[in-house]
Amino acid sequence: MKEFIGVIEKLSKKIQRQINLMEVCGTHTVSIFRHGIRSLIPSNIKLLSGPGCPVCVTPIEDVDRMLYISKQPDVILTTFGDMMRVPGSNGSLYKAKAEGADIRMVYSPLDALKIAENNKNKRIVFFAVGFETTSPLIAGTLFEADRKNIENFYIYSVHKLVPPALEVLVNTEELKLDGFILPGHVSTIIGSKVYEFIPLQYKKACVITGFDADDILHAIAMLLKQISDNEPKVEIQYKDAVKPDGNPKAIEFINRYFEPADSNWRGIGIIPKSGLKLKEKYAYRDAQKIFSISGIKAREPQGCKCGLVLRGVKLPTECPLFAKICTPENPVGACMVSSEGSCAAYYKYGRS
């Protein structure tokens, strides 16, 4: 650790200006706070937290649609635990469950498929949330559903793709980004080549890294070296897990069931080809086509700055609701719900 800190201090003095680096993985955000990395690096290096939490970037309108579906006859709604607590316009899935809706928390989409197998008289909907890391598992579950001829299993896909969001962020002038700490888990699936447009088109430094303090400090040192040498590129610090081409089998499985689609990111808006939707041949599994969910209008909570936090424009502490009205026990915005959310990380580790 001391070796990397020394290199960082030397390079930061050589660059002699503020350097803005963004981590775009919620696990990195938590690790940066837990290890006190901001306090270990020079003050002219600013670490910004990006939209690296899939729960956080899921729009309120999708939560509202899930609330609507959960109240339809003969429906069992299944989802990961964090999504249960995300506030919609009129409450959360937890609230709907308390009011009588059959909503079940699962640890895997395969758990949801098992529920479908055991409840043939019900329609089981899985709220499919995540980045490229989880989409292969969803694809695998769809494969199993067809293999077992389980006809009452559906998904509502709000899966997001990381590279299109990075292009939006690098074009956000108010951020003035110099480089990205790229996500480790996502990159095990998609590899490093998909990020090459960032240094080639936008001249920004990129390093894919792991999650220990040494990993992150090493990545920061690598980024500063690129910036100092004016040689932006994509480097892999997380060499044991990430390969340039990623995991071709996982990618092939994703492409078998899904295709890119325009997607709405909370705090950012519609990003072209940044989501995954089921291909038309699998429309019989698509909850968005099975249920009539058009015309549902979402309402953002008054005063919540979650959207600006997700873009890295504001710190959680700059939100007037932070640690006052909005806490992990009573979240107003999604950024305070997930353990990978910026607001939750600031609340737990960064208030002092």
Side-chain angles (χ1 to χ4, degrees):
M1 182 182 292
K2 289 182 179 179
E3 174 191 352
F4 297 133
I5 293 173
V7 172
I8 290 169
E9 290 175 346
K10 181 178 178 180
L11 289 169
S12 69
K13 290 177 181 178
K14 183 178 178 181
I15 296 170
Q16 288 189 330
R17 63 174 176 83
Q18 180 171 308
I19 304 144
N20 295 325
L21 305 177
M22 175 177 279
E23 86 275 357
V24 287
C25 171
T27 309
H28 281 149
T29 297
V30 172
S31 187
I32 286 168
F33 274 112
R34 186 167 59 238
H35 296 296
I37 287 176
R38 283 183 174 85
S39 66
L40 299 176
I41 60 178
S43 58
N44 66 318
I45 302 171
K46 188 174 183 180
L47 299 181
L48 303 171
S49 300
C53 164
V55 169
C56 303
V57 298
T58 300
I60 288 179
E61 66 190 46
D62 286 316
V63 178
D64 289 349
R65 288 170 180 169
M66 288 298 96
L67 288 166
Y68 173 81
I69 289 174
S70 74
K71 296 173 184 177
Q72 302 311 299
D74 301 320
V75 165
I76 300 175
L77 183 66
T78 59
T79 188
F80 295 133
D82 280 349
M83 287 308 306
M84 295 287 293
R85 301 176 57 235
V86 176
S89 298
N90 296 290
S92 65
L93 293 174
Y94 260 135
K95 180 182 177 184
K97 179 178 176 66
E99 292 172 349
D102 194 345
I103 303 173
R104 305 185 191 182
M105 185 183 75
V106 295
Y107 295 99
S108 162
L110 290 170
D111 296 337
L113 185 62
K114 187 67 175 177
I115 293 170
E117 193 173 14
N118 294 334
N119 294 271
K120 295 290 180 65
N121 61 329
K122 300 281 188 178
R123 295 177 292 176
I124 281 62
V125 178
F126 179 69
F127 193 7
V129 177
F131 293 134
E132 293 93 337
T133 316
T134 57
S135 45
L137 182 55
I138 305 298
T141 304
L142 293 169
F143 176 83
E144 280 296 296
D146 283 344
R147 188 182 69 83
K148 293 184 174 182
N149 197 30
I150 301 173
E151 298 179 352
N152 60 326
F153 178 75
Y154 313 94
I155 72 164
Y156 183 97
S157 176
V158 291
H159 275 280
K160 300 289 193 282
L161 302 174
V162 169
L166 298 182
E167 187 157 22
V168 171
L169 293 167
V170 82
N171 279 301
T172 303
E173 181 59 31
E174 57 194 322
L175 293 177
K176 295 182 172 57
L177 293 176
D178 295 291
F180 287 104
I181 300 171
L182 293 173
H185 294 143
V186 165
S187 300
T188 63
I189 303 297
I190 63 176
S192 63
K193 290 181 179 178
V194 295
Y195 304 115
E196 288 179 352
F197 72 94
I198 300 173
L200 290 175
Q201 295 180 34
Y202 299 104
K203 311 302 180 188
K204 306 299 181 184
C206 295
V207 174
I208 301 167
T209 191
F211 304 96
D212 291 338
D214 279 354
D215 292 331
I216 295 171
L217 288 168
H218 189 189
I220 292 171
M222 293 167 71
L223 287 166
L224 294 181
K225 182 70 165 58
Q226 291 185 36
I227 294 165
S228 175
D229 294 344
N230 195 25
E231 293 182 357
K233 53 191 168 185
V234 179
E235 292 186 283
I236 304 173
Q237 185 276 338
Y238 200 24
K239 292 183 182 293
D240 289 344
V242 178
K243 308 303 177 188
D245 292 316
N247 185 328
K249 289 186 178 179
I251 294 170
E252 180 183 357
F253 220 54
I254 294 170
N255 293 337
R256 176 175 177 174
Y257 287 92
F258 294 99
E259 60 187 5
D262 297 350
S263 185
N264 187 13
W265 293 58
R266 187 174 188 178
I268 298 176
I270 301 292
I271 303 178
K273 305 298 182 184
S274 67
L276 290 175
K277 69 175 182 179
L278 278 173
K279 289 184 173 180
E280 191 60 35
K281 66 186 293 187
Y282 301 108
Y284 58 91
R285 298 284 184 196
D286 192 343
Q288 298 197 48
K289 297 187 177 181
I290 300 299
F291 297 90
S292 177
I293 53 176
S294 60
I296 296 175
K297 295 187 180 296
R299 206 173 54 248
E300 287 284 342
Q302 188 173 3
C304 177
K305 304 300 181 186
C306 188
L308 296 173
V309 170
L310 287 168
R311 295 205 305 272
V313 174
K314 282 190 177 293
L315 297 175
T317 49
E318 295 177 289
C319 176
L321 307 185
F322 177 79
K324 300 180 180 74
I325 297 172
C326 185
T327 66
E329 293 74 28
N330 181 41
V332 176
C335 299
M336 188 62 89
V337 173
S338 171
S339 61
E340 294 186 347
S342 296
C343 292
Y346 263 79
Y347 187 92
K348 186 172 183 178
Y349 298 108
R351 284 188 291 165
S352 60

